[in-house]
């Protein structure tokens, strides 16, 4: 059987629920993919992107599993190589959320000149300040089969 060498990040993990007063941090390692404690629908192990983060006011760098919003913001700000994400000051934001019915605290690392907001589907995104994310309003959604005229011709629907 062939094996592949894996790069596991060792050390203590950050607890987002304990970072409420910390406002700045720096990434001090490359991000590495490694197995998480969660499983996909097909029972394969979910992967996570982990980097060492040095939080202002804490003595040691801690492991953090970077969420998709943080990763996308870092890519936009510094490029797609996680080596280039290191040693930039980032704003630390936390948010209480529910995941699979459980209350947890999400951690976002936001580059300077960027902000966290919700996209049109309600997902957290990190975008350059001044970027507008379109929000779909109820009046913009066409109504089908309402009394009177429909805004969509049923012949135009492909199914």
């Amino acid at each position: 059987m062939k094996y592949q060498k894996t790069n596991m990040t060792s050390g203590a993990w950050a607890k987002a629920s304990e970072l409420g007063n910390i406002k700045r941090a720096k990434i001090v390692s490359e991000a590495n993919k490694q197995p998480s404690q969660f499983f996909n629908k097909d029972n394969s192990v979910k992967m996570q992107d982990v980097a060492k983060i040095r939080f202002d006011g804490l003595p040691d760098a801690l492991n953090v599993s970077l969420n998709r919003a943080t990763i996308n913001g870092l890519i936009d700000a510094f490029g797609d190589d996680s080596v280039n994400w290191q040693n930039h000051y980032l704003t630390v934001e936390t948010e209480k959320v529910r995941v699979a019915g459980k209350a947890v605290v999400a951690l976002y690392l936001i580059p300077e000149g960027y902000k966290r907001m919700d996209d049109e589907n309600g997902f957290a995104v990190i975008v350059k300040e001044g970027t507008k994310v379109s929000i779909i309003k109820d009046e913009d959604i066409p109504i089908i089969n309402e009394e009177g005229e429909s805004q969509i011709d049923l012949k135009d629907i492909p199914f």
Side-chain angles (χ1 to χ4, degrees):
M1 175 183 275
K2 288 187 177 186
Y3 288 89
Q4 279 188 316
K5 183 178 176 183
T6 57
N7 240 353
M8 297 294 287
T9 307
S10 62
W13 288 78
K15 293 181 182 160
S17 60
E18 297 174 1
L19 299 173
N21 295 329
I22 295 176
K23 300 299 177 207
R24 285 188 350 156
K26 282 184 181 182
I27 297 175
V28 295
S29 76
E30 281 187 72
N32 291 305
K33 285 204 177 294
Q34 64 185 55
S36 75
Q37 63 188 16
F38 302 103
F39 295 90
N40 293 309
K41 290 179 182 176
D42 66 358
N43 284 332
S44 62
V45 175
K46 279 192 177 200
M47 299 301 285
Q48 60 185 342
D49 299 282
V50 179
K52 290 262 189 206
I53 312 296
R54 183 169 304 282
F55 293 94
D56 279 3
L58 296 182
D60 298 317
L62 300 171
N63 297 328
V64 170
S65 178
L66 303 173
N67 58 40
R68 184 53 43 201
T70 294
I71 291 170
N72 288 340
L74 292 169
I75 290 169
D76 192 43
F78 309 118
D80 61 2
D81 188 342
S82 68
V83 168
N84 299 325
W85 302 351
Q86 297 178 68
N87 299 314
H88 298 278
Y89 278 107
L90 305 167
T91 300
V92 175
E93 285 189 16
T94 58
E95 176 184 32
K96 290 181 183 179
V97 296
R98 289 212 175 265
V99 177
K102 182 179 179 185
V104 297
V105 178
L107 171 66
Y108 301 96
L109 300 171
I110 304 168
E112 187 174 327
Y114 284 70
K115 65 181 179 178
R116 179 177 55 92
M117 60 188 299
D118 292 339
D119 70 7
E120 64 273 2
N121 296 313
F123 291 99
V125 292
I126 295 173
V127 296
K128 193 170 193 69
E129 288 182 8
T131 301
K132 297 206 186 286
V133 175
S134 63
I135 305 295
I136 298 173
K137 298 177 184 136
D138 285 344
E139 60 267 18
D140 295 335
I141 300 171
I143 299 169
I144 299 174
N145 293 334
E146 184 178 89
E147 283 187 37
E149 260 187 56
S150 173
Q151 294 178 343
I152 294 179
D153 187 344
L154 295 177
K155 292 180 271 174
D156 293 336
I157 299 174
F159 48 89

